[in-house]
Amino acid sequence: AVSLTIAPSRYSERAEYLGVYRDLLESFRQLPGVRSVATIKNLPLRSAGETQGWRVPGAPEPSPGQQTTAAFLPVSPGLFDTLGVSLLAGRDFTGDEGGPVLIINRRLAREAFASDPERAVGRRLVVGGSIEAEVVGVVGDVRSLGVGLEAPTTVYVPQQLMPRRVATYLLHTEHDPLELVSQVREAVSARDPAQALTEITSIEQAIFDSTARPRFLTALLAAFALLAAVLAAVGVYGVVSFATARRVPELGLRKALGATGADLVAQVLRTALLPVAAGAAVGLVAALALSRLMAGLLFEVRPFDPATYGLVVVGLMVMGSLACLGPARVAAASDPALALRAE
């Protein structure tokens, strides 16, 4: 992703800075290892674009407070193929459009026409107050505001219809894209030595940066959760081990009356694991009730994950079993005479 801003002091007319965009697109296409190149104003996950109103032709003019809006993004042909965004219906921009055309995302197709993507192609929308444009394609939703936020209604317009001085070039390469940084700088300098680049980064790094805060919060929460699990396991082990150790004289007496070692171990496990299981059940219910508070930190992960809850319950039961086995085995191996003498 190569971002730049064309200064109005050098290119004041629309045709001039659109020419710069076209020249740079062609220069980047010629770089070795580049599969495709396209431009978009705002890099996905960082901004949804400019907000403008839209309406279906023939619908009454909405009041200022009732206006339907969408994010508008000027793009070049080939953007969706470069980014890997699915074209659900229709076609991409060609770069030589005969009139005002638009490409909308799936969410807007549903809101505007209440139909599947294919039926939205060929319909028309009024945008920018009075411009009536044809919908030539429908693409998948893109989480422009962040991976944890729902994709906004989005309208993609040809760059020449909505030219902006700020743009991001997206280069899809065969190898590590950052290997082309010096060649990208040389291509820009060859077109205009005074043109500065505001940023050069990989899409992977952009995604990593956009998820920095939720990743930190999740890591912090995971650390506290691990500490809580360890403390719970140590507590369960200590309490059960202490309670079982106090029963050693009783267990020795039972052995003297004919109980086998296996009988003693089984009885200890049944008696000790019952409160452990009850406590795990109560904790499970509480966790299910509180897990909704974590939904904001999760992306495509359900807060009610059976594997996670099952692992925690099994872990607590294992710790309780280990806590019982030590004292129970000591009691099973002890001399009954000692237990009788202690009583």
Side-chain angles (χ1 to χ4, degrees):
V2 182
S3 302
L4 56 85
T5 301
I6 296 180
S9 58
R10 295 194 308 279
Y11 305 97
S12 58
E13 299 297 328
R14 172 185 295 188
E16 293 178 333
Y17 61 79
L18 282 178
V20 174
Y21 282 137
R22 288 192 295 269
D23 292 346
L24 290 180
L25 272 174
E26 188 59 32
S27 297
F28 292 156
R29 286 195 185 100
Q30 305 303 319
L31 296 180
V34 173
R35 295 180 178 178
S36 61
V37 183
T39 64
I40 187 172
K41 182 185 177 186
N42 304 105
L43 192 64
L45 300 179
R46 293 188 176 179
S47 175
E50 304 175 19
T51 301
Q52 295 190 22
W54 62 268
R55 62 182 176 87
V56 177
E61 287 281 351
S63 60
Q66 301 295 325
Q67 189 179 39
T68 52
T69 61
F72 280 67
L73 285 169
V75 302
S76 69
L79 172 76
F80 308 112
D81 180 62
T82 302
L83 270 183
V85 177
S86 301
L87 183 64
L88 305 179
R91 63 172 177 84
D92 195 357
F93 296 130
T94 63
D96 187 21
E97 312 294 344
V101 294
L102 307 171
I103 294 177
I104 61 177
N105 69 340
R106 185 202 301 264
R107 180 179 175 184
L108 181 55
R110 291 174 176 171
E111 291 189 11
F113 307 114
S115 60
D116 58 43
E118 292 185 359
R119 294 188 177 183
V121 176
R123 306 287 291 273
R124 307 186 75 81
L125 287 177
V126 177
V127 298
S130 59
I131 301 175
E132 186 171 328
E134 179 186 359
V135 177
V136 297
V138 180
V139 297
D141 295 334
V142 177
R143 296 176 183 266
S144 305
L145 300 175
V147 295
L149 299 176
E150 186 180 4
T153 53
T154 308
V155 176
Y156 300 93
V157 300
Q159 195 172 52
Q160 64 270 20
L161 181 64
M162 187 179 168
R164 295 294 184 267
R165 295 181 178 275
V166 178
T168 297
Y169 289 85
L170 301 171
L171 285 70
H172 183 194
T173 65
E174 297 177 355
H175 308 290
D176 182 3
L178 296 182
E179 295 178 358
L180 296 176
V181 169
S182 60
Q183 299 177 60
V184 166
R185 294 186 183 278
E186 291 174 1
V188 175
S189 179
R191 177 59 177 80
D192 183 355
Q195 177 62 56
L197 298 177
T198 56
E199 183 184 24
I200 299 181
T201 186
S202 66
I203 298 297
E204 289 78 6
Q205 184 63 43
I207 296 173
F208 186 84
D209 294 341
S210 70
T211 58
R213 183 174 181 273
R215 280 189 294 103
F216 171 76
L217 294 177
T218 303
L220 187 64
L221 181 62
F224 281 111
L226 179 61
L227 178 61
V230 171
L231 291 176
V234 170
V236 168
Y237 185 92
V239 171
V240 174
S241 179
F242 175 74
T244 307
R246 294 186 63 182
R247 297 183 60 190
V248 169
E250 172 205 340
L251 298 176
L253 183 57
R254 290 180 182 276
K255 184 176 182 181
L257 296 176
T260 64
D263 293 336
L264 296 179
V265 173
Q267 184 184 34
V268 169
L269 288 176
R270 284 196 302 269
T271 305
L273 290 183
L274 184 60
V276 175
V282 173
L284 182 62
V285 172
L288 289 171
L290 295 174
S291 61
R292 291 185 177 88
L293 301 177
M294 296 174 53
L297 298 177
L298 304 177
F299 171 65
E300 293 189 358
V301 176
R302 296 177 300 171
F304 308 109
D305 183 39
T308 300
Y309 290 108
L311 182 63
V312 173
V313 172
V314 170
L316 291 176
M317 297 302 293
V318 168
M319 291 304 299
S321 301
L322 293 176
C324 298
L325 285 177
R329 294 178 64 182
V330 170
S334 63
D335 185 356
L338 296 177
L340 291 173
R341 190 177 300 117
E343 288 296 316

